[in-house]
């Protein structure tokens, strides 16, 4: 807390500074109205909704499989996790059991996405501290992850990967080769990035003790994910409520102490190592078998079957027209997204679309704590704090 | 020798020690190869724009080395991402703050037409509030597409008559958006 | 110490608030209770302070709209989670369209602040005692609550869309 000023001179005049919504230093559309005493922030008020796209309203009008592209655009830095989370929610509603191979493939994809997400967040923290080199360096490795995505599903960023009941296709040999190459080469890159930044004097001066939050306040504000873990609580959905066979794997949850920007950075950095370990284990132990569950009423049949086989044609028609029966019920499912507990609360009335779908968007919830975290710090510290919180505009505003 | 290609000079008269061309062509050439883009990154397309800027695709190769985050010093407004109705006036203000000549590129389906978000809160294409020069389709467009969009803009810039910005047609275009 | 599970949680709640719990369900293993909306604050503070349960994490607040459910058109749904015992609870509070008011839980959970604002923004549910209840995602000038079922998804001011191409 050494950088924090707590005794404000209430006789002095304050300046109001409008930070955003298109401020160059904020990555995305965030508006903060700051009351400044010189360089020190006295008060802050965020405004959001600048890219509100009415996801929840759209979700009430689209069949289940058409909601996957929407989830892509929530936290677009790690869209596969969102896709998988949504598929698992629907599978939970339908009572579908996925084969182990699907689970392991999903883990590989999700952990790759987590690396991609943390990579962009951590390199952007470095950029905001003035170190652009790390960013341009690690972004090449994000491209490698994009290559793997392309091999898996054909898309780079908004992947729309997977189907309800499984994945649309198996990993190709080329894809497995690329993943192997990635897990072999990436440690070197991560170590190099770490050595560039982590013990760098300037970086440490800019981040240690900046934007701290105690674990009590973090819980009060509903923090989840790396930000909560940086504050010192080891809550991870993957461990507490395992989904997609995460219970088969052995991994540690890195935990910080001070909940400041540096700890958030460190936690993400360590999580990337854990993700790598998970990918490696899942790939080595990838079970043989089908890459989809036997649910013809929800999983699209292969296209050649549709042309030749009457039954497949009927299922294809029914799925595409949204005429398969869905149980009435409500289900809450959450996954560990790139920046916290990403929850889907789905209420189904048996119709072709969801009656109500609510996304529990982690950054919408924890971004509330931002004014408290930056109070008394300087403007430049506020920028670093914001990027270390990994607030993604698409997820914030839905 | 590397395979770097030097872009050809504009048509003109060449003699020993001099090269004469029209002022317009020379200005066009200079402008086209030194565009300063202003990334108005709102959502997913912004990440692809970052990828375009970064080492693999390297937008700097096309003269856009300097990303201008200030509208005052920018030539090209790159609207990358969804523009909600709440954001519309802000976008318009940023456009107004830019100095002439200015170009606009709508990157991605959302900026071009609203994309998959045909909802009450999303602006159905930024051309409802500001004039657009080039539309780049895709959701999000790949970096190659984005670079193609920039190259299209470069073509426009290169061939733009110097007097276009004073022409009655251009004034009428701006007036149709309520810009003086 | 008895094992903390849904039955235990329900028993603890029934002991204190039996008169106000109108319906109990357990869809997909998540205990769901329907609660009298006046009781939301007492129930949540009971759960937070309960020595065994310690349900101190508010996962989610959201609204719902059932236009045909006369007298109980609107609902707020709370998900609370106990990290120590890893148990979740879903609480639903129904209210009528004429009086869409419910107590704010911001005094217990800071995270409820924006979630309640969002619910107000989407459904027009007013949270009594909320420090700053105004629209959050939509523009301030908006006059309706877009997530209510009667309002359409699409932009009504669109002129470039020919309905014949959409089969309407």
């Amino acid at each position: 807390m050494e950088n924090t000023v707590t005794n404000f001179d209430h006789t002095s005049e304050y300046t109001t500074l409008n930070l955003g919504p298109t401020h160059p230093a904020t990555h995305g559309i965030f508006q903060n109205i700051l009351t400044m005493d010189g360089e020190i922030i006295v008060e802050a008020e965020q405004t959001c909704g600048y890219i509100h796209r009415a996801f929840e309203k759209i979700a009430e009008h689209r069949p289940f499989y058409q909601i996957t592209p929407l989830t892509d655009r929530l936290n677009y830095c790690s869209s596969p996790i969102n896709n998988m989370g949504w598929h698992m929610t629907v599978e939970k509603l339908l009572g579908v059991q996925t084969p182990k191979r699907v689970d392991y493939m999903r883990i590989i994809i999700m952990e790759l996405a987590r690396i991609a997400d943390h990579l962009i967040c951590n390199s952007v923290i470095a950029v905001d501290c003035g170190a652009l080199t790390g960013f341009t360096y690690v972004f090449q490795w994000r491209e490698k992850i994009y290559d793997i995505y392309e091999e898996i599903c054909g898309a780079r960023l908004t992947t729309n990967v997977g189907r309800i009941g499984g994945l649309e296709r198996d990993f190709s040999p080329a894809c497995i080769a690329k993943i192997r190459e990635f897990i072999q080469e990436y440690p070197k890159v991560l170590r190099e990035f770490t050595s560039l930044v982590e013990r760098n004097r300037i970086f440490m001066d800019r981040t240690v003790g900046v934007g701290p939050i105690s674990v009590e306040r973090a819980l009060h504000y509903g923090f989840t994910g790396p930000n909560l873990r940086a504050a010192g609580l080891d809550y991870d959905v993957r461990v507490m409520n395992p989904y997609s066979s995460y219970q088969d794997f052995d991994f540690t949850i890195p935990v910080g102490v001070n909940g400041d920007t540096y700890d958030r950075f460190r936690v993400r950095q360590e999580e990337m190592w854990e993700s790598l370990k998970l990918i490696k284990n899942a790939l080595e132990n990838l079970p043989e078998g089908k890459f989809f569950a036997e649910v013809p009423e929800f999983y699209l049949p292969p296209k050649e079957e549709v042309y030749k086989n009457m039954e497949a044609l009927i299922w294809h028609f029914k799925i595409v027209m949204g005429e398969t029966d869905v149980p009435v019920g409500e289900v809450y499912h959450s996954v560990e997204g790139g920046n916290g507990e990403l929850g889907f609360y789905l209420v189904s009335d048996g119709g072709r679309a969801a009656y109500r779908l609510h996304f529990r968007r982690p950054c919408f919830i924890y971004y509330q704590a931002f004014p408290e975290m930056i109070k008394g710090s300087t403007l430049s510290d506020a920028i670093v704090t914001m990027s270390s919180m990994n607030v993604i505009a698409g997820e914030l505003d839905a | 020798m590397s395979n770097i290609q030097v872009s050809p000079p504009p048509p003109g008269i060449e003699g020993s020690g001099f090269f004469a061309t029209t002022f317009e062509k020379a200005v066009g050439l200079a402008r086209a190869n030194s565009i300063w883009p202003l990334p108005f990154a709102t959502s997913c397309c912004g990440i692809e724009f970052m990828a375009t800027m970064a080492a693999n695709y390297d937008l700097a190769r096309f003269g856009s080395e300097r990303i201008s985050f200030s509208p005052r010093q920018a030539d090209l407004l790159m609207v990358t991402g969804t523009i909600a109705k709440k954001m519309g006036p802000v976008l318009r203000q940023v456009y107004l703050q830019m100095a002439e000549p200015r170009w606009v590129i709508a990157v991605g389906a959302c900026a071009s037409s609203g994309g998959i978000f045909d909802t009450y809160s999303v602006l159905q294409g930024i051309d409802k509030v500001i004039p657009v020069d080039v539309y780049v389709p895709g959701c999000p467009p790949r970096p190659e597409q984005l670079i193609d969009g920039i190259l299209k803009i470069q073509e426009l810039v290169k061939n733009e008559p110097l007097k276009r910005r004073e022409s009655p047609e251009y004034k009428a275009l701006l007036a149709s958006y309520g810009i003086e | 110490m008895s094992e903390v599970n849904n039955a235990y949680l329900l028993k603890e709640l029934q002991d204190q608030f039996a008169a106000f719990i109108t319906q109990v369900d357990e869809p997909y293993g998540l205990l769901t209770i329907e609660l009298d909306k006046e009781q939301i604050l007492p129930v949540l503070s009971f759960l937070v302070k309960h020595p065994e349960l310690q349900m101190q994490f508010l996962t989610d607040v959201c609204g719902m709209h059932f236009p045909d459910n006369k007298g109980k058109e609107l609902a707020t749904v709370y998900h609370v989670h106990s990290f120590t015992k890893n148990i979740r609870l879903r609480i639903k509070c129904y209210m009528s369209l004429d009086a869409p008011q419910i107590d704010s839980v911001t005094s217990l959970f800071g995270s409820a602040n924006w979630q309640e604002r969002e619910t107000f923004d989407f459904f027009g549910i007013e949270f009594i005692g909320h420090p700053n209840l105004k629209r959050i995602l939509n523009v301030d000038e908006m006059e309706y609550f877009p997530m209510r079922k009667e309002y359409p998804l699409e932009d009504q001011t669109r002129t470039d869309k020919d309905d014949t191409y959409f089969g309407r």
Side-chain angles (χ1 to χ4, degrees):
Chain A
M1 297 286 274
E2 58 191 294
N3 295 2
T4 312
V5 181
T6 41
N7 296 325
F8 297 115
D9 178 11
H10 287 286
T11 52
S12 66
E13 267 185 28
Y14 294 143
T15 330
T16 304
L17 182 73
N18 185 14
L19 185 72
T22 58
H23 195 273
T26 58
H27 309 276
I29 305 299
F30 309 109
Q31 190 187 23
N32 281 286
I33 296 159
L34 307 172
T35 310
M36 310 277 295
D37 181 7
E39 182 76 351
I40 307 293
I41 296 163
V42 182
E43 239 171 284
E45 197 199 339
Q46 322 98 305
T47 325
C48 61
Y50 282 103
I51 65 160
H52 174 51
R53 294 175 281 189
F55 279 8
E56 292 176 7
K57 190 79 182 174
I58 302 177
E60 290 174 6
H61 292 78
R62 302 264 185 278
F64 287 161
Y65 67 93
Q66 286 187 11
I67 295 173
T68 321
L70 295 180
T71 60
D72 273 333
R73 287 152 185 84
L74 276 171
N75 179 350
Y76 35 75
C77 291
S78 53
S79 16
I81 301 183
N82 312 348
N83 299 156
M84 299 301 175
W86 166 243
H87 294 320
M88 281 184 263
T89 311
V90 181
E91 282 160 15
K92 199 167 169 182
L93 179 78
L94 304 172
V96 174
Q97 270 291 328
T98 45
K100 277 274 171 199
R101 189 178 174 84
V102 173
D103 289 358
Y104 281 40
M105 283 165 80
R106 282 182 171 169
I107 286 180
I108 294 173
I109 299 171
M110 283 193 284
E111 293 306 318
L112 278 171
R114 198 179 313 283
I115 292 179
D117 181 275
H118 290 356
L119 202 60
I120 206 161
C121 177
N122 273 0
S123 57
V124 163
I125 300 174
V127 169
D128 284 344
C129 297
L132 191 68
T133 322
F135 169 78
T136 47
Y137 184 53
V138 295
F139 218 96
Q140 295 178 43
W141 288 85
R142 228 182 114 85
E143 292 286 339
K144 300 262 180 201
I145 299 176
Y146 283 157
D147 283 353
I148 298 171
Y149 286 174
E150 280 188 310
E151 212 59 70
I152 293 169
C153 67
R156 278 163 58 88
L157 184 71
T158 46
T159 46
N160 194 12
V161 58
R163 298 278 178 270
I164 294 159
L167 284 116
E168 66 269 43
R169 64 180 78 103
D170 210 347
F171 284 165
S172 65
C175 169
I176 290 182
K178 277 189 177 167
I179 299 171
R180 279 192 205 289
E181 192 197 327
F182 182 81
I183 44 183
Q184 199 152 41
E185 310 252 320
Y186 186 66
K188 205 176 77 198
V189 181
L190 193 54
R191 260 194 293 274
E192 204 162 343
F193 177 65
T194 311
S195 66
L196 262 176
V197 178
E198 199 168 277
R199 301 296 293 174
N200 184 309
R201 176 68 10 221
I202 302 170
F203 182 76
M204 287 184 74
D205 281 350
R206 287 293 311 278
T207 53
V208 175
V210 169
I213 189 157
S214 68
V215 66
E216 291 81 23
R217 295 304 289 169
L219 277 178
H220 182 67
Y221 278 117
F223 273 49
T224 42
N227 294 347
L228 178 64
R229 293 194 280 273
L233 191 89
D234 59 341
Y235 173 59
D236 190 320
V237 188
R238 290 177 290 174
V239 177
M240 203 181 255
N241 298 306
Y243 51 90
S244 188
S245 299
Y246 266 110
Q247 67 276 12
D248 296 3
F249 295 91
D250 184 27
F251 61 101
T252 44
I253 311 174
V255 173
V257 181
N258 304 319
D260 57 4
T261 302
Y262 189 64
D263 277 12
R264 285 191 281 273
F265 174 85
R266 285 289 309 275
V267 164
R268 288 209 176 81
Q269 208 70 357
E270 290 305 316
E271 273 185 21
M272 284 197 259
W273 288 110
E274 295 302 320
S275 295
L276 260 173
K277 212 161 78 187
L278 274 164
I279 298 169
K280 205 170 170 183
N281 280 338
L283 196 63
E284 270 167 12
N285 302 316
L286 195 65
E288 292 299 317
K290 286 208 163 113
F291 56 91
F292 54 88
E294 287 293 345
V295 273
E297 59 270 45
F298 296 104
Y299 185 84
L300 275 176
K303 197 70 187 174
E304 50 270 26
E305 284 295 304
V306 176
Y307 289 132
K308 286 188 227 144
N309 186 331
M310 190 62 187
E311 205 182 344
L313 176 67
I314 292 169
W315 284 129
H316 184 274
F317 179 81
K318 283 189 114 176
I319 294 167
V320 173
M321 299 309 287
E323 285 181 3
T324 42
D325 293 327
V326 181
V328 179
E330 51 188 331
V331 56
Y332 177 83
H333 184 72
S334 58
V335 294
E336 181 70 25
N339 39 15
E341 177 177 346
L342 176 72
F344 299 87
Y345 174 45
L346 168 66
V347 181
S348 156
D349 63 347
R352 82 192 270 267
Y355 186 79
R356 171 90 169 99
L357 175 62
H358 180 73
F359 301 101
R360 185 211 188 264
R361 311 181 309 275
C363 56
F364 177 71
I365 294 167
Y366 67 61
Y367 186 47
Q368 296 175 60
F370 186 58
E372 189 175 307
M373 291 162 80
I374 60 167
K375 212 171 201 175
S377 60
T378 57
L379 180 59
S380 50
D381 286 349
I383 301 291
V384 181
T385 307
M386 184 190 263
S387 53
S388 77
M389 284 171 83
N390 199 11
V391 187
I392 308 285
E395 193 174 86
L396 180 71
D397 294 344
Chain B
M1 222 3 224
S2 65
N3 53 1
I4 294 172
Q5 287 178 0
V6 178
S7 64
I13 303 153
E14 204 171 356
S16 62
F18 78 94
F19 174 77
T21 183
T22 57
F23 186 52
E24 207 165 83
K25 291 256 159 34
V27 169
L29 189 70
R31 276 178 180 171
N33 293 304
S34 63
I35 292 176
W36 284 12
L38 162 66
F40 196 86
T42 56
S43 56
C44 335
C45 295
I47 305 290
E48 281 302 62
F49 177 75
M50 275 160 90
T52 318
M53 251 165 51
N56 274 38
Y57 291 94
D58 197 9
L59 191 60
R61 289 177 296 161
F62 305 99
S64 301
E65 171 71 57
R66 187 196 183 270
I67 307 296
S68 168
F69 283 104
S70 156
R72 299 279 181 205
Q73 280 98 36
D75 307 308
L76 171 64
L77 177 62
M78 298 184 75
V79 184
T80 52
T82 319
I83 301 296
K85 282 182 180 158
K86 201 171 177 178
M87 197 67 193
V90 182
L91 174 67
R92 195 183 141 92
Q93 196 183 356
V94 167
Y95 180 74
L96 291 177
Q97 282 170 348
M98 287 170 69
E100 290 280 15
R102 57 194 165 186
W103 290 272
V104 178
I105 175 167
V107 178
C110 288
S112 305
S113 70
I116 62 170
F117 302 108
D118 185 3
T119 61
Y120 59 87
S121 62
V122 174
L123 195 64
Q124 301 299 310
I126 57 161
D127 48 10
K128 295 270 185 294
V129 287
I130 54 171
V132 177
D133 294 283
V134 169
Y135 299 86
V136 179
C139 190
R142 296 179 57 91
E144 291 94 331
Q145 281 173 283
L146 239 162
I147 290 173
D148 187 51
I150 299 253
L151 291 182
K152 290 271 186 308
I153 282 280
Q154 288 194 349
E155 275 313 304
L156 283 178
V157 174
K158 212 176 271 178
N159 299 318
E160 182 173 307
L162 276 181
K163 287 208 169 115
R164 175 175 173 240
R165 305 277 159 176
E166 276 93 55
S167 69
E169 292 86 4
Y170 184 72
K171 291 229 163 81
L173 173 74
L174 286 189
S176 72
Y177 286 95
I179 300 167
E180 287 301 307
Chain C
M1 190 192 105
S2 59
E3 200 191 340
V4 175
N5 53 20
N6 282 353
Y8 172 78
L9 173 59
L10 185 62
K11 191 185 149 288
E12 288 293 303
L13 282 167
Q14 294 279 26
D15 283 353
Q16 291 276 334
F17 303 99
F20 307 107
I21 297 171
T22 47
Q23 206 183 331
V24 179
D25 201 0
E26 213 179 304
Y28 301 94
L30 207 157
L31 185 67
T32 305
I33 58 167
E34 259 183 57
L35 189 72
D36 185 354
K37 68 168 182 171
E38 305 294 332
Q39 293 297 315
I40 186 66
L41 261 180
V43 167
L44 282 179
S45 55
F46 167 74
L47 289 170
V48 167
K49 294 192 187 108
H50 194 287
E52 201 62 48
L53 290 163
Q54 299 183 38
M55 285 199 154
Q56 291 165 355
F57 192 77
L58 179 73
T59 307
D60 193 35
V61 179
C62 70
M64 293 225 273
H65 185 210
F66 301 94
D68 301 329
N69 200 357
K70 285 281 166 273
K72 293 160 88 181
E73 284 96 344
L74 291 169
T76 41
V77 184
Y78 301 82
H79 285 80
V80 277
H81 191 184
S82 158
F83 281 171
T84 50
K85 296 289 184 254
N86 190 19
I87 187 165
R88 290 180 196 267
L89 172 70
R90 182 186 294 140
I91 304 173
K92 289 188 195 171
C93 297
Y94 284 93
M95 61 202 86
S96 79
L97 204 56
D98 312 315
Q101 278 109 14
I102 189 167
D103 286 326
S104 165
V105 297
T106 39
S107 52
L108 289 169
F109 307 101
S111 58
N113 188 331
W114 278 17
Q115 301 188 59
E116 288 181 350
R117 274 176 71 183
E118 190 195 24
T119 311
F120 167 73
D121 190 354
F122 282 164
F123 292 95
I125 296 171
E126 287 161 29
F127 292 87
I128 300 159
H130 190 283
N132 184 22
L133 194 66
K134 58 180 191 189
R135 286 192 184 271
I136 182 164
L137 293 179
N138 290 305
V139 283
D140 292 332
E141 296 81 43
M142 202 170 211
E143 282 164 350
Y144 64 102
F145 301 106
M147 281 293 282
R148 289 193 183 171
K149 290 281 178 187
E150 66 262 35
Y151 296 108
L153 163 72
E154 285 158 17
D155 183 4
Q156 297 303 298
T157 56
R158 256 191 112 143
T159 49
D160 57 343
K161 218 159 130 181
D162 191 340
D163 272 358
T164 51
Y165 296 126
F166 293 85
R168 295 183 281 221

